[in-house]
Coordinates of all heavy atoms in Angstrom, one line a residue:
N1 N -5.1 1.7 -16.3 CA -6.4 1.2 -16.1 C -6.4 -0.2 -15.5 O -5.5 -1.0 -15.9 CB -7.1 1.1 -17.5 CG -7.4 2.5 -18.0 OD1 -7.8 3.4 -17.3 ND2 -7.3 2.7 -19.3
F2 N -7.3 -0.5 -14.6 CA -7.3 -1.8 -14.0 C -8.7 -2.3 -14.0 O -9.7 -1.6 -13.7 CB -6.8 -1.7 -12.5 CG -5.4 -1.2 -12.3 CD1 -5.1 0.1 -12.3 CD2 -4.4 -2.2 -12.2 CE1 -3.8 0.5 -12.2 CE2 -3.1 -1.8 -12.1 CZ -2.8 -0.4 -12.1
V3 N -8.8 -3.6 -14.2 CA -10.1 -4.4 -14.0 C -9.7 -5.6 -13.2 O -8.9 -6.4 -13.7 CB -10.7 -4.8 -15.3 CG1 -12.0 -5.6 -15.0 CG2 -11.1 -3.6 -16.2
V4 N -10.2 -5.7 -12.0 CA -9.9 -6.8 -11.1 C -11.1 -7.4 -10.5 O -12.1 -6.7 -10.3 CB -8.9 -6.4 -10.0 CG1 -7.6 -6.0 -10.6 CG2 -9.4 -5.4 -9.1
N5 N -11.1 -8.7 -10.1 CA -12.1 -9.3 -9.3 C -11.8 -8.9 -7.9 O -10.6 -8.9 -7.5 CB -12.1 -10.8 -9.4 CG -12.6 -11.3 -10.7 OD1 -11.8 -11.3 -11.7 ND2 -13.8 -11.8 -10.8
N6 N -12.8 -8.7 -7.1 CA -12.5 -8.4 -5.7 C -13.4 -9.3 -4.8 O -14.3 -10.0 -5.3 CB -12.7 -6.9 -5.3 CG -14.1 -6.4 -5.4 OD1 -14.8 -6.6 -6.4 ND2 -14.6 -5.8 -4.4
V7 N -13.2 -9.2 -3.5 CA -14.0 -10.0 -2.6 C -15.4 -9.5 -2.5 O -15.7 -8.4 -2.0 CB -13.3 -10.0 -1.2 CG1 -14.0 -10.9 -0.2 CG2 -11.8 -10.4 -1.3
G8 N -16.3 -10.4 -2.9 CA -17.7 -10.0 -2.9 C -18.5 -10.7 -1.7 O -17.9 -11.5 -1.0
D9 N -19.8 -10.5 -1.6 CA -20.6 -11.1 -0.6 C -21.1 -12.5 -1.2 O -21.6 -12.5 -2.3 CB -21.8 -10.2 -0.3 CG -21.3 -8.9 0.2 OD1 -20.3 -8.8 0.9 OD2 -22.0 -7.9 -0.1
G10 N -20.9 -13.5 -0.5 CA -21.4 -14.8 -1.0 C -20.5 -15.3 -2.2 O -19.3 -15.2 -2.3
S11 N -21.2 -15.9 -3.2 CA -20.6 -16.5 -4.3 C -20.5 -15.6 -5.5 O -20.0 -16.1 -6.6 CB -21.2 -17.9 -4.6 OG -22.6 -17.6 -5.0
R12 N -21.1 -14.5 -5.5 CA -21.1 -13.6 -6.7 C -19.8 -13.0 -6.9 O -19.1 -12.5 -6.0 CB -22.2 -12.5 -6.5 CG -23.6 -12.9 -6.6 CD -24.5 -11.8 -6.7 NE -24.3 -11.1 -7.9 CZ -24.8 -9.9 -8.2 NH1 -25.5 -9.2 -7.2 NH2 -24.6 -9.3 -9.3
L13 N -19.4 -13.0 -8.2 CA -18.1 -12.3 -8.5 C -18.4 -10.8 -8.5 O -19.4 -10.3 -9.0 CB -17.7 -12.7 -9.9 CG -17.0 -14.1 -10.0 CD1 -16.7 -14.4 -11.4 CD2 -15.8 -14.2 -9.1
K14 N -17.4 -10.0 -8.0 CA -17.5 -8.6 -8.0 C -16.3 -8.1 -8.8 O -15.2 -8.7 -8.8 CB -17.4 -8.0 -6.5 CG -18.6 -8.4 -5.7 CD -19.8 -7.6 -6.1 CE -21.0 -7.9 -5.1 NZ -22.0 -6.9 -5.4
Y15 N -16.4 -6.9 -9.3 CA -15.4 -6.3 -10.1 C -15.1 -4.9 -9.7 O -16.0 -4.2 -9.3 CB -15.7 -6.3 -11.6 CG -15.9 -7.7 -12.2 CD1 -17.2 -8.3 -12.2 CD2 -14.8 -8.4 -12.7 CE1 -17.4 -9.6 -12.8 CE2 -15.0 -9.7 -13.2 CZ -16.3 -10.2 -13.2 OH -16.4 -11.5 -13.7
I16 N -13.9 -4.5 -9.9 CA -13.5 -3.1 -9.7 C -12.8 -2.7 -11.1 O -11.9 -3.4 -11.5 CB -12.5 -2.9 -8.6 CG1 -13.1 -3.2 -7.3 CG2 -12.0 -1.4 -8.6 CD1 -12.1 -3.2 -6.1
K17 N -13.3 -1.6 -11.6 CA -12.7 -1.0 -12.8 C -12.2 0.4 -12.4 O -13.1 1.2 -12.0 CB -13.6 -1.0 -14.0 CG -13.0 -0.4 -15.3 CD -13.9 -0.4 -16.4 CE -13.3 0.2 -17.6 NZ -14.2 0.3 -18.8
T18 N -11.0 0.7 -12.6 CA -10.5 2.0 -12.1 C -9.3 2.4 -13.0 O -8.6 1.6 -13.6 CB -10.0 1.9 -10.7 OG1 -9.7 3.2 -10.2 CG2 -8.9 1.0 -10.4
S19 N -9.1 3.7 -13.0 CA -8.0 4.3 -13.7 C -7.2 5.1 -12.6 O -7.8 5.9 -11.9 CB -8.5 5.3 -14.8 OG -7.4 5.9 -15.4
I20 N -6.0 4.8 -12.5 CA -5.2 5.3 -11.4 C -4.0 6.1 -11.9 O -3.3 5.6 -12.8 CB -4.7 4.2 -10.4 CG1 -5.9 3.5 -9.8 CG2 -3.8 4.8 -9.4 CD1 -5.5 2.3 -9.0
S21 N -3.7 7.3 -11.3 CA -2.5 8.1 -11.6 C -1.7 8.1 -10.3 O -2.3 8.1 -9.2 CB -2.8 9.5 -12.0 OG -3.5 9.5 -13.2
I22 N -0.4 8.2 -10.4 CA 0.5 8.2 -9.2 C 1.1 9.6 -9.1 O 1.7 10.1 -10.1 CB 1.6 7.2 -9.4 CG1 1.0 5.8 -9.4 CG2 2.6 7.3 -8.2 CD1 2.0 4.7 -9.7
R23 N 1.0 10.2 -8.0 CA 1.7 11.5 -7.7 C 3.0 11.2 -7.0 O 3.1 10.4 -6.1 CB 0.8 12.3 -6.8 CG -0.4 12.9 -7.4 CD -1.1 13.9 -6.6 NE -0.3 15.0 -6.1 CZ -0.2 15.5 -4.9 NH1 -1.0 15.0 -4.0 NH2 0.6 16.5 -4.6
T24 N 4.1 11.8 -7.6 CA 5.4 11.7 -7.0 C 6.2 12.9 -7.3 O 5.7 13.8 -8.1 CB 6.1 10.4 -7.6 OG1 7.3 10.2 -6.9 CG2 6.4 10.6 -9.1
S25 N 7.4 13.1 -6.8 CA 8.2 14.2 -7.1 C 8.9 14.0 -8.4 O 9.1 12.9 -8.9 CB 9.2 14.5 -6.0 OG 10.1 13.4 -5.9
E26 N 9.3 15.1 -9.0 CA 10.0 15.0 -10.3 C 11.2 14.2 -10.2 O 11.6 13.4 -11.1 CB 10.3 16.4 -10.9 CG 10.8 16.4 -12.3 CD 9.7 16.0 -13.3 OE1 8.5 16.2 -13.1 OE2 10.1 15.4 -14.3
S27 N 11.9 14.3 -9.1 CA 13.2 13.5 -8.9 C 12.9 12.0 -8.8 O 13.9 11.2 -9.0 CB 13.9 14.0 -7.7 OG 13.2 13.8 -6.5
Q28 N 11.7 11.6 -8.4 CA 11.4 10.2 -8.2 C 10.7 9.5 -9.4 O 10.4 8.3 -9.4 CB 10.5 10.0 -7.0 CG 11.1 10.6 -5.7 CD 12.3 9.7 -5.3 OE1 12.3 8.5 -5.2 NE2 13.4 10.4 -4.9
K29 N 10.4 10.4 -10.5 CA 9.6 9.9 -11.6 C 10.3 8.7 -12.3 O 9.6 7.7 -12.7 CB 9.5 11.0 -12.6 CG 8.6 10.7 -13.8 CD 8.4 12.0 -14.7 CE 7.7 11.6 -15.9 NZ 7.6 12.7 -16.8
A30 N 11.6 8.7 -12.4 CA 12.3 7.6 -13.1 C 12.2 6.3 -12.3 O 12.0 5.2 -12.9 CB 13.8 8.0 -13.3
I31 N 12.1 6.4 -11.0 CA 12.0 5.2 -10.2 C 10.6 4.6 -10.5 O 10.4 3.3 -10.6 CB 12.2 5.5 -8.7 CG1 13.6 5.8 -8.5 CG2 11.7 4.3 -7.8 CD1 13.9 6.5 -7.1
I32 N 9.6 5.4 -10.5 CA 8.2 4.9 -10.8 C 8.1 4.3 -12.1 O 7.6 3.2 -12.3 CB 7.2 6.1 -10.7 CG1 7.2 6.7 -9.3 CG2 5.8 5.7 -11.2 CD1 6.6 5.9 -8.2
E33 N 8.7 4.9 -13.1 CA 8.6 4.4 -14.5 C 9.4 3.1 -14.6 O 8.9 2.2 -15.3 CB 9.1 5.5 -15.5 CG 8.2 6.6 -15.6 CD 8.7 7.8 -16.5 OE1 9.9 7.8 -16.8 OE2 7.9 8.7 -16.8
A34 N 10.5 3.0 -14.0 CA 11.3 1.8 -14.1 C 10.7 0.6 -13.4 O 11.0 -0.5 -13.7 CB 12.7 2.1 -13.5
N35 N 9.9 0.9 -12.4 CA 9.3 -0.2 -11.7 C 7.8 -0.4 -11.9 O 7.1 -0.9 -11.1 CB 9.5 0.0 -10.2 CG 11.0 -0.2 -9.8 OD1 11.4 -1.3 -9.7 ND2 11.7 0.9 -9.7
M36 N 7.3 0.1 -13.1 CA 5.9 0.0 -13.3 C 5.3 -1.4 -13.3 O 4.2 -1.6 -12.7 CB 5.5 0.7 -14.7 CG 4.1 1.0 -14.9 SD 3.3 1.9 -13.5 CE 4.1 3.5 -13.8
P37 N 6.0 -2.5 -13.7 CA 5.4 -3.8 -13.6 C 5.2 -4.2 -12.1 O 4.1 -4.7 -11.8 CB 6.4 -4.7 -14.2 CG 7.1 -3.8 -15.2 CD 7.2 -2.5 -14.6
L38 N 6.1 -3.8 -11.2 CA 6.0 -4.1 -9.8 C 4.8 -3.3 -9.2 O 4.0 -3.8 -8.4 CB 7.3 -3.7 -9.1 CG 7.3 -3.9 -7.6 CD1 7.2 -5.4 -7.2 CD2 8.5 -3.2 -7.0
I39 N 4.7 -2.0 -9.6 CA 3.6 -1.2 -9.2 C 2.2 -1.7 -9.6 O 1.3 -1.8 -8.8 CB 3.8 0.3 -9.7 CG1 5.0 0.9 -9.0 CG2 2.6 1.1 -9.4 CD1 5.5 2.2 -9.6
R40 N 2.1 -2.1 -10.9 CA 0.9 -2.6 -11.4 C 0.5 -3.9 -10.6 O -0.7 -4.1 -10.2 CB 0.9 -2.9 -12.9 CG 1.0 -1.6 -13.7 CD 0.8 -1.9 -15.2 NE -0.4 -2.5 -15.5 CZ -1.6 -1.9 -15.7 NH1 -1.6 -0.6 -15.5 NH2 -2.7 -2.6 -16.0
D41 N 1.5 -4.8 -10.3 CA 1.2 -6.0 -9.6 C 0.7 -5.7 -8.2 O -0.2 -6.3 -7.7 CB 2.5 -6.9 -9.6 CG 2.2 -8.2 -8.8 OD1 1.4 -9.0 -9.2 OD2 2.8 -8.3 -7.7
A42 N 1.4 -4.8 -7.5 CA 1.0 -4.4 -6.2 C -0.4 -3.8 -6.1 O -1.2 -4.2 -5.2 CB 2.0 -3.3 -5.6
L43 N -0.8 -3.0 -7.1 CA -2.1 -2.5 -7.2 C -3.2 -3.5 -7.5 O -4.3 -3.5 -6.9 CB -2.2 -1.4 -8.2 CG -1.5 0.0 -7.8 CD1 -1.4 0.9 -8.9 CD2 -2.3 0.6 -6.6
V44 N -2.9 -4.5 -8.4 CA -3.8 -5.5 -8.7 C -4.0 -6.4 -7.4 O -5.2 -6.7 -7.1 CB -3.3 -6.4 -9.9 CG1 -4.1 -7.7 -10.0 CG2 -3.5 -5.6 -11.2
M45 N -3.0 -6.8 -6.8 CA -3.1 -7.6 -5.6 C -3.9 -6.8 -4.5 O -4.7 -7.4 -3.8 CB -1.7 -8.0 -5.1 CG -1.0 -8.9 -6.0 SD -1.9 -10.4 -6.6 CE -1.8 -11.3 -5.1
F46 N -3.6 -5.6 -4.3 CA -4.3 -4.8 -3.3 C -5.8 -4.6 -3.6 O -6.6 -4.9 -2.7 CB -3.6 -3.4 -3.2 CG -4.4 -2.4 -2.3 CD1 -4.4 -2.6 -0.9 CD2 -5.2 -1.4 -2.9 CE1 -5.1 -1.7 -0.1 CE2 -5.9 -0.6 -2.1 CZ -5.9 -0.7 -0.7
L47 N -6.1 -4.2 -4.8 CA -7.5 -4.0 -5.2 C -8.3 -5.3 -5.1 O -9.4 -5.4 -4.7 CB -7.6 -3.4 -6.6 CG -7.1 -2.0 -6.7 CD1 -7.1 -1.6 -8.2 CD2 -8.1 -1.0 -5.9
S48 N -7.6 -6.4 -5.5 CA -8.3 -7.8 -5.4 C -8.7 -8.2 -4.0 O -9.6 -8.9 -3.8 CB -7.4 -8.8 -6.1 OG -7.2 -8.6 -7.4
S49 N -7.9 -7.7 -3.1 CA -8.2 -8.0 -1.7 C -9.3 -7.2 -1.0 O -9.7 -7.5 0.1 CB -6.9 -7.9 -0.9 OG -6.5 -6.6 -0.7
R50 N -9.7 -6.2 -1.7 CA -10.7 -5.3 -1.0 C -12.1 -5.9 -1.0 O -12.5 -6.6 -2.0 CB -10.8 -3.9 -1.8 CG -9.5 -3.2 -1.9 CD -8.8 -2.9 -0.6 NE -9.4 -1.8 0.1 CZ -9.1 -1.3 1.2 NH1 -8.1 -1.9 1.9 NH2 -9.6 -0.3 1.8
T51 N -12.8 -5.7 0.0 CA -14.2 -6.2 0.1 C -15.1 -5.1 -0.5 O -14.7 -4.0 -0.7 CB -14.6 -6.5 1.6 OG1 -14.6 -5.2 2.3 CG2 -13.7 -7.5 2.2
T52 N -16.4 -5.5 -0.7 CA -17.4 -4.6 -1.2 C -17.5 -3.4 -0.3 O -17.6 -2.2 -0.8 CB -18.7 -5.3 -1.4 OG1 -18.6 -6.4 -2.3 CG2 -19.8 -4.3 -1.9
E53 N -17.5 -3.6 1.0 CA -17.6 -2.5 2.0 C -16.4 -1.5 1.9 O -16.6 -0.3 2.2 CB -17.8 -3.0 3.4 CG -19.1 -3.8 3.7 CD -19.1 -5.2 3.1 OE1 -18.0 -5.8 3.0 OE2 -20.1 -5.7 2.7
Q54 N -15.3 -2.1 1.6 CA -14.1 -1.2 1.5 C -14.0 -0.4 0.3 O -13.1 0.5 0.2 CB -12.8 -2.1 1.6 CG -12.7 -2.8 3.0 CD -11.5 -3.8 3.0 OE1 -11.4 -4.6 2.1 NE2 -10.7 -3.7 4.1
V55 N -14.8 -0.6 -0.7 CA -14.8 0.2 -1.9 C -16.1 0.9 -2.2 O -16.3 1.5 -3.3 CB -14.4 -0.6 -3.1 CG1 -13.0 -1.1 -3.0 CG2 -15.3 -1.8 -3.4
T56 N -17.0 0.9 -1.3 CA -18.3 1.5 -1.5 C -18.4 2.8 -0.6 O -18.3 2.8 0.6 CB -19.5 0.6 -1.1 OG1 -19.3 -0.6 -1.8 CG2 -20.8 1.2 -1.3
G57 N -18.7 3.9 -1.3 CA -18.8 5.2 -0.7 C -17.5 6.0 -0.7 O -16.4 5.5 -0.9
A58 N -17.7 7.3 -0.5 CA -16.6 8.2 -0.7 C -15.5 8.0 0.4 O -14.3 8.0 0.1 CB -17.1 9.7 -0.6
I59 N -15.9 7.8 1.7 CA -15.0 7.6 2.7 C -14.2 6.3 2.5 O -13.0 6.3 2.7 CB -15.7 7.6 4.1 CG1 -16.3 9.0 4.4 CG2 -14.8 7.2 5.2 CD1 -17.2 9.1 5.6
A60 N -14.9 5.3 2.1 CA -14.2 4.0 1.9 C -13.2 4.1 0.7 O -12.1 3.6 0.8 CB -15.2 2.9 1.6
R61 N -13.6 4.8 -0.3 CA -12.7 5.0 -1.4 C -11.5 5.8 -1.1 O -10.4 5.6 -1.6 CB -13.4 5.6 -2.6 CG -14.3 4.5 -3.2 CD -15.0 5.0 -4.5 NE -15.9 4.0 -4.9 CZ -16.9 4.1 -5.7 NH1 -17.2 5.4 -6.1 NH2 -17.7 3.2 -6.0
E62 N -11.7 6.8 -0.2 CA -10.5 7.6 0.2 C -9.5 6.8 1.0 O -8.3 6.9 0.8 CB -11.0 8.8 1.1 CG -9.9 9.6 1.7 CD -9.1 10.4 0.7 OE1 -9.5 10.6 -0.5 OE2 -7.9 10.7 1.0
K63 N -10.1 5.9 1.8 CA -9.2 5.0 2.6 C -8.5 4.0 1.6 O -7.3 3.7 1.8 CB -10.0 4.2 3.6 CG -9.2 3.5 4.6 CD -9.9 3.0 5.8 CE -8.9 2.3 6.7 NZ -9.5 2.0 8.0
T64 N -9.2 3.6 0.6 CA -8.6 2.7 -0.4 C -7.5 3.4 -1.1 O -6.4 2.8 -1.3 CB -9.7 2.2 -1.4 OG1 -10.6 1.4 -0.7 CG2 -9.1 1.5 -2.6
R65 N -7.7 4.6 -1.4 CA -6.6 5.4 -2.0 C -5.4 5.5 -1.2 O -4.3 5.3 -1.6 CB -7.2 6.8 -2.3 CG -6.7 7.5 -3.5 CD -7.5 8.8 -3.8 NE -7.6 9.7 -2.7 CZ -6.7 10.6 -2.4 NH1 -5.6 10.7 -3.2 NH2 -6.9 11.5 -1.4
E66 N -5.6 5.8 0.1 CA -4.4 6.0 1.0 C -3.7 4.6 1.2 O -2.5 4.6 1.2 CB -4.9 6.5 2.4 CG -5.4 7.9 2.3 CD -6.2 8.3 3.6 OE1 -6.2 7.5 4.6 OE2 -6.7 9.5 3.6
E67 N -4.5 3.6 1.4 CA -3.9 2.3 1.7 C -3.3 1.7 0.4 O -2.3 1.0 0.5 CB -5.0 1.3 2.2 CG -5.4 1.7 3.6 CD -6.5 0.8 4.2 OE1 -7.0 -0.1 3.5 OE2 -6.9 1.0 5.3
G68 N -3.8 2.0 -0.8 CA -3.2 1.6 -2.0 C -1.8 2.3 -2.2 O -0.9 1.6 -2.6
A69 N -1.7 3.5 -1.9 CA -0.4 4.2 -2.0 C 0.6 3.6 -1.0 O 1.8 3.4 -1.4 CB -0.6 5.7 -1.6
A70 N 0.1 3.2 0.2 CA 1.0 2.5 1.1 C 1.5 1.2 0.6 O 2.6 0.8 0.8 CB 0.3 2.4 2.5
A71 N 0.5 0.4 0.0 CA 0.9 -0.9 -0.6 C 1.9 -0.7 -1.7 O 2.9 -1.6 -1.8 CB -0.4 -1.6 -1.1
V72 N 1.8 0.3 -2.5 CA 2.8 0.5 -3.6 C 4.1 0.9 -3.0 O 5.2 0.4 -3.4 CB 2.3 1.5 -4.6 CG1 3.3 1.9 -5.6 CG2 1.0 1.0 -5.4
N73 N 4.1 1.8 -2.1 CA 5.3 2.2 -1.4 C 6.0 1.0 -0.7 O 7.3 0.9 -0.7 CB 5.1 3.3 -0.4 CG 5.2 4.7 -1.1 OD1 5.9 4.9 -2.1 ND2 4.5 5.7 -0.6
K74 N 5.3 0.1 -0.1 CA 5.8 -1.0 0.5 C 6.6 -1.9 -0.5 O 7.7 -2.4 -0.3 CB 4.8 -1.8 1.2 CG 5.3 -3.1 2.0 CD 4.2 -3.8 2.7 CE 4.8 -5.1 3.3 NZ 3.9 -6.1 3.6
A75 N 5.9 -2.2 -1.6 CA 6.5 -3.0 -2.7 C 7.8 -2.3 -3.2 O 8.8 -2.9 -3.4 CB 5.6 -3.2 -3.8
L76 N 7.7 -1.0 -3.4 CA 8.9 -0.3 -3.9 C 10.0 -0.2 -2.9 O 11.2 -0.2 -3.2 CB 8.5 1.2 -4.3 CG 7.7 1.2 -5.6 CD1 7.1 2.6 -5.9 CD2 8.6 0.8 -6.8
Q77 N 9.6 -0.1 -1.6 CA 10.6 0.0 -0.5 C 11.4 -1.3 -0.5 O 12.6 -1.3 -0.3 CB 9.9 0.2 0.8 CG 10.8 0.2 2.0 CD 11.7 1.5 2.1 OE1 11.3 2.5 1.7 NE2 12.9 1.3 2.6
E78 N 10.7 -2.5 -0.7 CA 11.4 -3.8 -0.7 C 12.3 -3.9 -1.9 O 13.4 -4.5 -1.8 CB 10.3 -4.9 -0.7 CG 9.6 -5.0 0.6 CD 8.4 -6.0 0.6 OE1 8.2 -6.6 -0.5 OE2 7.7 -6.1 1.6
E79 N 11.9 -3.3 -3.0 CA 12.7 -3.5 -4.2 C 13.8 -2.4 -4.3 O 14.9 -2.8 -4.8 CB 11.8 -3.4 -5.4 CG 12.4 -3.6 -6.8 CD 12.8 -5.0 -7.0 OE1 12.3 -5.9 -6.4 OE2 13.7 -5.2 -7.9
T80 N 13.5 -1.2 -4.0 CA 14.5 -0.1 -4.3 C 15.0 0.6 -3.0 O 16.0 1.4 -3.1 CB 13.8 1.0 -5.1 OG1 12.8 1.6 -4.4 CG2 13.2 0.4 -6.4
G81 N 14.4 0.3 -1.9 CA 14.8 1.0 -0.7 C 14.1 2.4 -0.5 O 14.5 3.2 0.4
L82 N 13.3 2.8 -1.5 CA 12.6 4.1 -1.5 C 11.1 4.0 -1.5 O 10.6 3.0 -1.9 CB 13.0 4.9 -2.8 CG 14.5 5.1 -3.0 CD1 14.8 5.6 -4.4 CD2 15.1 6.1 -1.9
S83 N 10.5 5.0 -1.0 CA 9.0 5.1 -1.0 C 8.6 6.4 -1.7 O 8.3 7.4 -1.1 CB 8.5 5.2 0.5 OG 8.8 4.0 1.1
P84 N 8.6 6.4 -3.0 CA 8.4 7.6 -3.8 C 7.0 8.1 -4.1 O 6.8 9.2 -4.5 CB 9.1 7.3 -5.1 CG 8.9 5.8 -5.3 CD 9.0 5.3 -3.9
V85 N 6.0 7.2 -3.7 CA 4.6 7.6 -4.0 C 4.1 8.5 -3.0 O 4.0 8.2 -1.8 CB 3.7 6.3 -4.1 CG1 2.3 6.7 -4.4 CG2 4.2 5.4 -5.3
K86 N 3.7 9.7 -3.4 CA 3.0 10.7 -2.5 C 1.5 10.4 -2.4 O 1.0 10.5 -1.3 CB 3.2 12.1 -3.1 CG 4.6 12.6 -3.1 CD 4.6 14.1 -3.6 CE 6.0 14.6 -3.6 NZ 6.0 16.0 -4.1
D87 N 0.9 10.0 -3.5 CA -0.5 9.8 -3.5 C -1.0 9.0 -4.7 O -0.3 9.0 -5.7 CB -1.2 11.2 -3.5 CG -2.6 11.1 -3.0 OD1 -3.1 10.1 -2.5 OD2 -3.3 12.2 -3.1
L88 N -2.1 8.4 -4.6 CA -2.8 7.8 -5.8 C -4.0 8.6 -6.1 O -4.7 9.1 -5.2 CB -3.3 6.4 -5.5 CG -2.2 5.3 -5.2 CD1 -2.9 4.0 -5.0 CD2 -1.2 5.2 -6.3
L89 N -4.3 8.8 -7.3 CA -5.5 9.6 -7.7 C -6.4 8.7 -8.6 O -5.8 8.1 -9.6 CB -5.1 10.9 -8.5 CG -4.2 11.8 -7.8 CD1 -3.7 12.9 -8.7 CD2 -4.8 12.4 -6.5
F90 N -7.6 8.6 -8.3 CA -8.6 7.9 -9.1 C -9.2 8.8 -10.2 O -9.9 9.7 -9.9 CB -9.7 7.3 -8.3 CG -9.2 6.2 -7.3 CD1 -9.6 6.3 -6.0 CD2 -8.5 5.1 -7.7 CE1 -9.2 5.3 -5.1 CE2 -8.1 4.1 -6.9 CZ -8.5 4.2 -5.5
A91 N -9.0 8.5 -11.5 CA -9.6 9.2 -12.5 C -11.0 8.6 -12.7 O -11.9 9.3 -13.2 CB -8.8 9.1 -13.8
S92 N -11.2 7.3 -12.5 CA -12.5 6.7 -12.5 C -12.4 5.5 -11.5 O -11.4 5.0 -11.2 CB -12.8 6.2 -13.9 OG -11.9 5.1 -14.2
F93 N -13.6 5.1 -11.0 CA -13.7 4.0 -10.0 C -15.1 3.5 -10.1 O -16.0 4.1 -9.6 CB -13.4 4.5 -8.6 CG -13.0 3.4 -7.7 CD1 -11.7 3.2 -7.3 CD2 -14.0 2.6 -7.1 CE1 -11.4 2.1 -6.5 CE2 -13.7 1.6 -6.2 CZ -12.4 1.4 -5.9
V94 N -15.2 2.3 -10.7 CA -16.5 1.7 -10.9 C -16.5 0.3 -10.2 O -15.5 -0.5 -10.5 CB -16.9 1.6 -12.4 CG1 -18.2 0.9 -12.6 CG2 -16.9 2.9 -13.0
T95 N -17.5 0.0 -9.5 CA -17.6 -1.4 -8.9 C -18.9 -2.0 -9.4 O -19.9 -1.3 -9.7 CB -17.7 -1.3 -7.4 OG1 -18.8 -0.6 -6.9 CG2 -16.4 -0.8 -6.8
Q96 N -18.9 -3.3 -9.5 CA -20.1 -4.1 -10.0 C -20.1 -5.4 -9.3 O -19.1 -6.0 -9.1 CB -20.0 -4.3 -11.5 CG -21.2 -5.0 -12.0 CD -21.1 -5.2 -13.5 OE1 -20.4 -4.5 -14.2 NE2 -21.9 -6.1 -14.0

């Protein structure tokens, strides 16, 4: 579960509250679990950088999902040399 401030319009604070699951292969599961603090940090930084337009609507959220997986894989690639994340799945996604 994540709750982050994101880039809003003007001076109003905006929030994203989401629950994310990571899809990976069974052989890569241990890498994901061992690097969970790094993954959480990458997701918080990524979600915080999203604008209101980038998280509003189904198409924007799909792109957020894809780009979020790429951000996590980039962080893991730098740390472990591997890109084990196949996909991110949103169990919930609320913006305010």
